[in-house]
Amino acid sequence: MLIKSKRGWEIPEHLATPEGIFLSRRRLLGAGAGLIGASLLPGVAQAAETDPSASLYPAKRNERYTLDRPMTPEKDASSVNNYYEFGTNYDVGRAAAKLKVRPWTVTIDGMVEQPRQVGIDDLLKAMTLEERLYRHRCVEAWSMAVPWTGFPMKAFVDYARPLSGAKYVRMETFLDRDVAPGQSGRFYPWPYVEGLTMAEATNELAFLVTGVYGKPAQNQFGAPLRLATPWKYGFKSIKAIVKFTFTDQRPKSFWEVVQGAEYGFWANVNPQVSHPRWSQATEKDIATGERRPTLLYNGYGEFVAGLYGDPALKGEKLFM
Ligand code: MTE
């Protein structure tokens, strides 16, 4: 470990939350991220070369999704990542490289016409890849802007053929204690789980990511399949997905189980709703250190605000 930093909020392990990583990331970026990024890059390049889907990249950019800020340099976004399966610090690139992302089977089950399993490369053949520039706002008030490659989650939902009674999609990460040392931590409710309503999952912004920076995603980004929901805090963006379960029960997500008073199911970005322990009014760019005002729904209100107008949602904590 290059820099060992203490958790900023000094709470016991059993109340540990993702923001320790984020504090570390900010400290790191102030203290020489370029050096650390460079030390990870050789392994990263190798992984991309041996990926059987490499010829699918770069995919055509979908110009509908534009940024209001410069794209984060790859060396910054890829040299510090949050992936608790591989450690509770930011420098998970080397550890995550041990995860074998081929063969990789995705299970589709629950309330679907026909439960099935599909290999990632067959899934890629069934989908059309595109690149999207998305903002990424972490719950701990840092942000970046990333060129993801992948396919709309709506296309995946159509492929999965859920029954009309399905209300949610529950997503689950792999479980392999031999390769992911973090999964031996007894307190955490492994495997990592996240969930979306069907309306969220089929919103045009919900994106299943297979690549980044014009090539297959490096493991630390959540290869071979992760979610990007840019109007929500980053912890909703589950990495290394192995299972999608369609259900009429609201799933309990990983961080909701760990610390439900601070991390909820909805987790929509809102600068006016503070985290119980800090303000969400502004955010810090991980590459430049520049601070800017945080935007409601991370600036994606025109796409998603309509999802939350239902009077039935009154009383729900939509912004934590
Ligand atoms: N998915 C899994 N399986 N394990 C994790 O620890 N961390 C989440 C999310 N998805 C996490 C995960 C958190 S807290 C964030 S902020 C984002 O991944 C970080 O994504 P990045 O490393 O690509 O910036």
Side-chain angles (χ1 to χ4, degrees):
M1 201 177 296
L2 290 160
I3 298 174
K4 174 86 184 121
S5 65
K6 216 171 176 183
R7 292 176 187 281
W9 60 99
E10 299 291 349
I11 61 171
E13 172 74 0
H14 75 281
L15 291 179
T17 58
E19 64 271 23
I21 297 300
F22 313 145
L23 288 168
S24 303
R25 188 186 296 222
R26 285 208 306 247
R27 260 176 227 152
L28 166 73
L29 288 162
L35 184 69
I36 293 162
S39 74
L40 289 173
L41 286 175
V44 160
Q46 208 175 15
E49 274 159 26
T50 54
D51 189 299
S53 65
S55 64
L56 300 176
Y57 300 85
K60 191 171 182 308
R61 182 172 297 172
N62 183 337
E63 304 288 352
R64 181 165 162 78
Y65 309 102
T66 53
L67 295 176
D68 57 349
R69 59 196 72 177
M71 198 152 81
T72 303
E74 182 180 359
K75 71 174 171 47
D76 295 325
S78 66
S79 61
V80 278
N81 294 90
N82 191 6
Y83 205 166
Y84 266 53
E85 285 83 344
F86 295 100
T88 54
N89 222 323
Y90 56 82
D91 55 342
V92 292
R94 280 183 198 284
K98 297 199 176 112
L99 179 66
K100 285 186 77 160
V101 297
R102 293 294 188 289
W104 190 271
T105 304
V106 175
T107 297
I108 298 168
D109 67 8
M111 299 175 71
V112 286
E113 283 175 26
Q114 182 71 53
R116 64 206 277 204
Q117 296 198 315
V118 59
I120 186 69
D121 292 302
D122 288 334
L123 182 60
L124 281 166
K125 275 185 212 141
M127 300 289 140
T128 304
L129 294 188
E130 64 183 59
E131 183 179 74
R132 294 185 180 189
L133 306 183
Y134 273 179
R135 292 181 289 273
H136 180 48
R137 169 57 159 86
C138 166
V139 73
E140 214 279 331
W142 57 257
S143 64
M144 54 182 170
V146 187
W148 300 119
T149 304
F151 46 87
M153 190 161 181
K154 164 86 168 69
F156 175 79
V157 170
D158 291 345
Y159 174 88
R161 300 202 306 275
L163 301 176
S164 59
K167 294 187 175 136
Y168 302 93
V169 56
R170 176 188 184 278
M171 290 154 279
E172 193 175 298
T173 298
F174 73 93
L175 182 63
D176 184 345
R177 293 191 176 88
D178 292 336
V179 78
Q183 291 183 332
S184 296
R186 295 221 321 271
F187 172 71
Y188 291 105
W190 305 110
Y192 200 100
V193 166
E194 261 304 340
L196 294 174
T197 64
M198 290 299 289
E200 291 175 326
T202 54
N203 180 274
E204 68 169 83
L205 279 187
F207 199 53
L208 285 169
V209 169
T210 58
V212 63
Y213 293 97
K215 52 187 186 266
Q218 298 121 28
N219 282 4
Q220 64 266 38
F221 279 114
L225 188 65
R226 64 90 60 87
L227 178 67
T229 44
W231 72 101
K232 292 178 177 285
Y233 291 117
F235 66 87
K236 293 293 291 184
S237 294
I238 180 172
K239 298 180 172 182
I241 305 170
V242 294
K243 187 152 83 167
F244 294 82
T245 303
F246 292 84
T247 169
D248 56 5
Q249 305 293 313
R250 186 189 293 183
K252 266 217 153 183
S253 56
F254 180 85
W255 287 110
E256 199 181 352
V257 175
V258 174
Q259 180 95 301
E262 300 192 347
Y263 307 102
F265 173 78
W266 299 98
N268 297 310
V269 175
N270 187 337
Q272 297 191 330
V273 178
S274 295
H275 182 277
R277 289 181 281 124
W278 58 83
S279 164
Q280 297 289 22
T282 64
E283 65 202 53
K284 191 168 172 179
D285 183 306
I286 66 158
T288 64
E290 195 185 314
R291 197 159 267 288
R292 68 177 79 237
T294 284
L295 305 169
L296 180 61
Y297 296 112
N298 199 21
Y300 293 104
E302 63 177 301
F303 300 101
V304 297
L307 293 173
Y308 307 105
D310 186 342
L313 293 176
K314 214 166 182 283
E316 290 281 342
K317 292 183 171 167
L318 294 171
F319 304 106
M320 63 150 272

PDB file of all heavy atoms in Angstrom, residues 51 53-59 124 129 149-150 209-212 214-217 224:
ATOM      1  N   ASP A  51      -8.170  -9.034 -23.830  1.00  0.00           N
ATOM      2  CA  ASP A  51      -9.618  -9.130 -23.711  1.00  0.00           C
ATOM      3  C   ASP A  51     -10.213  -9.527 -25.066  1.00  0.00           C
ATOM      4  O   ASP A  51      -9.965  -8.868 -26.071  1.00  0.00           O
ATOM      5  CB  ASP A  51     -10.172  -7.768 -23.261  1.00  0.00           C
ATOM      6  CG  ASP A  51     -11.634  -7.847 -22.900  1.00  0.00           C
ATOM      7  OD1 ASP A  51     -12.458  -8.199 -23.784  1.00  0.00           O
ATOM      8  OD2 ASP A  51     -11.975  -7.565 -21.747  1.00  0.00           O
ATOM      9  N   SER A  53     -12.979  -9.097 -26.276  1.00  0.00           N
ATOM     10  CA  SER A  53     -13.902  -8.122 -26.870  1.00  0.00           C
ATOM     11  C   SER A  53     -13.181  -6.858 -27.332  1.00  0.00           C
ATOM     12  O   SER A  53     -13.826  -5.894 -27.760  1.00  0.00           O
ATOM     13  CB  SER A  53     -14.995  -7.751 -25.857  1.00  0.00           C
ATOM     14  OG  SER A  53     -14.421  -7.071 -24.753  1.00  0.00           O
ATOM     15  N   ALA A  54     -11.835  -6.879 -27.292  1.00  0.00           N
ATOM     16  CA  ALA A  54     -11.081  -5.647 -27.577  1.00  0.00           C
ATOM     17  C   ALA A  54     -11.427  -5.030 -28.936  1.00  0.00           C
ATOM     18  O   ALA A  54     -11.451  -3.807 -29.083  1.00  0.00           O
ATOM     19  CB  ALA A  54      -9.585  -5.927 -27.481  1.00  0.00           C
ATOM     20  N   SER A  55     -11.760  -5.885 -29.919  1.00  0.00           N
ATOM     21  CA  SER A  55     -12.015  -5.347 -31.273  1.00  0.00           C
ATOM     22  C   SER A  55     -13.311  -4.528 -31.330  1.00  0.00           C
ATOM     23  O   SER A  55     -13.567  -3.847 -32.320  1.00  0.00           O
ATOM     24  CB  SER A  55     -12.063  -6.484 -32.284  1.00  0.00           C
ATOM     25  OG  SER A  55     -13.156  -7.314 -31.977  1.00  0.00           O
ATOM     26  N   LEU A  56     -14.144  -4.616 -30.307  1.00  0.00           N
ATOM     27  CA  LEU A  56     -15.409  -3.852 -30.317  1.00  0.00           C
ATOM     28  C   LEU A  56     -15.196  -2.379 -29.947  1.00  0.00           C
ATOM     29  O   LEU A  56     -16.119  -1.570 -30.023  1.00  0.00           O
ATOM     30  CB  LEU A  56     -16.398  -4.460 -29.324  1.00  0.00           C
ATOM     31  CG  LEU A  56     -16.803  -5.918 -29.562  1.00  0.00           C
ATOM     32  CD1 LEU A  56     -17.702  -6.415 -28.441  1.00  0.00           C
ATOM     33  CD2 LEU A  56     -17.513  -6.044 -30.914  1.00  0.00           C
ATOM     34  N   TYR A  57     -13.977  -2.044 -29.554  1.00  0.00           N
ATOM     35  CA  TYR A  57     -13.681  -0.686 -29.073  1.00  0.00           C
ATOM     36  C   TYR A  57     -12.742   0.016 -30.035  1.00  0.00           C
ATOM     37  O   TYR A  57     -11.939  -0.651 -30.694  1.00  0.00           O
ATOM     38  CB  TYR A  57     -13.040  -0.756 -27.680  1.00  0.00           C
ATOM     39  CG  TYR A  57     -13.939  -1.413 -26.671  1.00  0.00           C
ATOM     40  CD1 TYR A  57     -13.963  -2.796 -26.530  1.00  0.00           C
ATOM     41  CD2 TYR A  57     -14.802  -0.651 -25.882  1.00  0.00           C
ATOM     42  CE1 TYR A  57     -14.812  -3.411 -25.628  1.00  0.00           C
ATOM     43  CE2 TYR A  57     -15.652  -1.262 -24.969  1.00  0.00           C
ATOM     44  CZ  TYR A  57     -15.652  -2.641 -24.849  1.00  0.00           C
ATOM     45  OH  TYR A  57     -16.496  -3.240 -23.949  1.00  0.00           O
ATOM     46  N   PRO A  58     -12.768   1.339 -30.113  1.00  0.00           N
ATOM     47  CA  PRO A  58     -13.728   2.223 -29.455  1.00  0.00           C
ATOM     48  C   PRO A  58     -15.091   2.179 -30.155  1.00  0.00           C
ATOM     49  O   PRO A  58     -15.151   2.002 -31.370  1.00  0.00           O
ATOM     50  CB  PRO A  58     -13.089   3.604 -29.606  1.00  0.00           C
ATOM     51  CG  PRO A  58     -12.235   3.487 -30.832  1.00  0.00           C
ATOM     52  CD  PRO A  58     -11.771   2.067 -30.905  1.00  0.00           C
ATOM     53  N   ALA A  59     -16.141   2.330 -29.371  1.00  0.00           N
ATOM     54  CA  ALA A  59     -17.496   2.357 -29.940  1.00  0.00           C
ATOM     55  C   ALA A  59     -17.852   3.807 -30.291  1.00  0.00           C
ATOM     56  O   ALA A  59     -17.253   4.745 -29.767  1.00  0.00           O
ATOM     57  CB  ALA A  59     -18.486   1.805 -28.918  1.00  0.00           C
ATOM     58  N   LEU A 124     -22.534  -9.383 -25.288  1.00  0.00           N
ATOM     59  CA  LEU A 124     -21.985  -8.258 -26.065  1.00  0.00           C
ATOM     60  C   LEU A 124     -22.414  -8.344 -27.533  1.00  0.00           C
ATOM     61  O   LEU A 124     -22.687  -7.326 -28.164  1.00  0.00           O
ATOM     62  CB  LEU A 124     -20.454  -8.246 -25.969  1.00  0.00           C
ATOM     63  CG  LEU A 124     -19.902  -7.660 -24.665  1.00  0.00           C
ATOM     64  CD1 LEU A 124     -18.427  -7.984 -24.499  1.00  0.00           C
ATOM     65  CD2 LEU A 124     -20.109  -6.159 -24.630  1.00  0.00           C
ATOM     66  N   LEU A 129     -22.871  -1.585 -28.759  1.00  0.00           N
ATOM     67  CA  LEU A 129     -22.076  -0.745 -27.857  1.00  0.00           C
ATOM     68  C   LEU A 129     -22.047   0.702 -28.328  1.00  0.00           C
ATOM     69  O   LEU A 129     -22.018   0.977 -29.530  1.00  0.00           O
ATOM     70  CB  LEU A 129     -20.643  -1.260 -27.760  1.00  0.00           C
ATOM     71  CG  LEU A 129     -20.425  -2.617 -27.104  1.00  0.00           C
ATOM     72  CD1 LEU A 129     -18.929  -2.871 -26.918  1.00  0.00           C
ATOM     73  CD2 LEU A 129     -21.128  -2.702 -25.762  1.00  0.00           C
ATOM     74  N   THR A 149     -18.146   3.027 -22.057  1.00  0.00           N
ATOM     75  CA  THR A 149     -18.707   2.319 -23.209  1.00  0.00           C
ATOM     76  C   THR A 149     -19.594   1.215 -22.670  1.00  0.00           C
ATOM     77  O   THR A 149     -19.251   0.579 -21.652  1.00  0.00           O
ATOM     78  CB  THR A 149     -17.594   1.693 -24.075  1.00  0.00           C
ATOM     79  OG1 THR A 149     -16.681   2.721 -24.459  1.00  0.00           O
ATOM     80  CG2 THR A 149     -18.179   1.059 -25.334  1.00  0.00           C
ATOM     81  N   GLY A 150     -20.720   0.997 -23.340  1.00  0.00           N
ATOM     82  CA  GLY A 150     -21.625  -0.048 -22.886  1.00  0.00           C
ATOM     83  C   GLY A 150     -22.900  -0.011 -23.694  1.00  0.00           C
ATOM     84  O   GLY A 150     -22.894   0.392 -24.860  1.00  0.00           O
ATOM     85  N   VAL A 209     -22.110  -0.848 -18.311  1.00  0.00           N
ATOM     86  CA  VAL A 209     -20.777  -0.480 -18.793  1.00  0.00           C
ATOM     87  C   VAL A 209     -19.905  -1.717 -18.973  1.00  0.00           C
ATOM     88  O   VAL A 209     -19.820  -2.569 -18.081  1.00  0.00           O
ATOM     89  CB  VAL A 209     -20.110   0.464 -17.770  1.00  0.00           C
ATOM     90  CG1 VAL A 209     -18.637   0.666 -18.081  1.00  0.00           C
ATOM     91  CG2 VAL A 209     -20.849   1.802 -17.728  1.00  0.00           C
ATOM     92  N   THR A 210     -19.257  -1.787 -20.131  1.00  0.00           N
ATOM     93  CA  THR A 210     -18.289  -2.862 -20.390  1.00  0.00           C
ATOM     94  C   THR A 210     -16.898  -2.300 -20.679  1.00  0.00           C
ATOM     95  O   THR A 210     -15.917  -3.035 -20.647  1.00  0.00           O
ATOM     96  CB  THR A 210     -18.747  -3.715 -21.592  1.00  0.00           C
ATOM     97  OG1 THR A 210     -18.879  -2.842 -22.737  1.00  0.00           O
ATOM     98  CG2 THR A 210     -20.082  -4.379 -21.328  1.00  0.00           C
ATOM     99  N   GLY A 211     -16.837  -1.020 -21.003  1.00  0.00           N
ATOM    100  CA  GLY A 211     -15.556  -0.429 -21.361  1.00  0.00           C
ATOM    101  C   GLY A 211     -15.445   1.001 -20.863  1.00  0.00           C
ATOM    102  O   GLY A 211     -16.435   1.602 -20.415  1.00  0.00           O
ATOM    103  N   VAL A 212     -14.246   1.521 -20.936  1.00  0.00           N
ATOM    104  CA  VAL A 212     -14.011   2.902 -20.518  1.00  0.00           C
ATOM    105  C   VAL A 212     -12.754   3.416 -21.219  1.00  0.00           C
ATOM    106  O   VAL A 212     -11.855   2.622 -21.516  1.00  0.00           O
ATOM    107  CB  VAL A 212     -13.941   2.980 -18.962  1.00  0.00           C
ATOM    108  CG1 VAL A 212     -12.798   2.191 -18.390  1.00  0.00           C
ATOM    109  CG2 VAL A 212     -13.887   4.411 -18.467  1.00  0.00           C
ATOM    110  N   GLY A 214     -12.418   4.133 -24.252  1.00  0.00           N
ATOM    111  CA  GLY A 214     -12.283   3.559 -25.587  1.00  0.00           C
ATOM    112  C   GLY A 214     -11.725   2.160 -25.639  1.00  0.00           C
ATOM    113  O   GLY A 214     -11.273   1.719 -26.708  1.00  0.00           O
ATOM    114  N   LYS A 215     -11.758   1.429 -24.525  1.00  0.00           N
ATOM    115  CA  LYS A 215     -11.277   0.031 -24.533  1.00  0.00           C
ATOM    116  C   LYS A 215     -12.007  -0.749 -23.435  1.00  0.00           C
ATOM    117  O   LYS A 215     -12.704  -0.147 -22.612  1.00  0.00           O
ATOM    118  CB  LYS A 215      -9.767  -0.010 -24.344  1.00  0.00           C
ATOM    119  CG  LYS A 215      -9.245   0.754 -23.162  1.00  0.00           C
ATOM    120  CD  LYS A 215      -7.719   0.768 -23.195  1.00  0.00           C
ATOM    121  CE  LYS A 215      -7.159   1.403 -21.955  1.00  0.00           C
ATOM    122  NZ  LYS A 215      -6.868   2.831 -22.075  1.00  0.00           N
ATOM    123  N   PRO A 216     -11.837  -2.076 -23.437  1.00  0.00           N
ATOM    124  CA  PRO A 216     -12.512  -2.850 -22.383  1.00  0.00           C
ATOM    125  C   PRO A 216     -12.149  -2.311 -21.003  1.00  0.00           C
ATOM    126  O   PRO A 216     -11.010  -1.901 -20.769  1.00  0.00           O
ATOM    127  CB  PRO A 216     -11.963  -4.272 -22.579  1.00  0.00           C
ATOM    128  CG  PRO A 216     -11.521  -4.322 -24.003  1.00  0.00           C
ATOM    129  CD  PRO A 216     -11.040  -2.933 -24.340  1.00  0.00           C
ATOM    130  N   ALA A 217     -13.115  -2.317 -20.105  1.00  0.00           N
ATOM    131  CA  ALA A 217     -12.872  -1.757 -18.769  1.00  0.00           C
ATOM    132  C   ALA A 217     -11.801  -2.558 -18.047  1.00  0.00           C
ATOM    133  O   ALA A 217     -11.789  -3.790 -18.087  1.00  0.00           O
ATOM    134  CB  ALA A 217     -14.158  -1.785 -17.957  1.00  0.00           C
ATOM    135  N   PRO A 224     -16.325  -7.482 -15.926  1.00  0.00           N
ATOM    136  CA  PRO A 224     -16.603  -7.105 -17.308  1.00  0.00           C
ATOM    137  C   PRO A 224     -17.923  -6.377 -17.501  1.00  0.00           C
ATOM    138  O   PRO A 224     -18.252  -6.000 -18.616  1.00  0.00           O
ATOM    139  CB  PRO A 224     -16.644  -8.467 -18.016  1.00  0.00           C
ATOM    140  CG  PRO A 224     -17.237  -9.376 -16.980  1.00  0.00           C
ATOM    141  CD  PRO A 224     -16.699  -8.889 -15.652  1.00  0.00           C
TER     142      PRO A 224
END
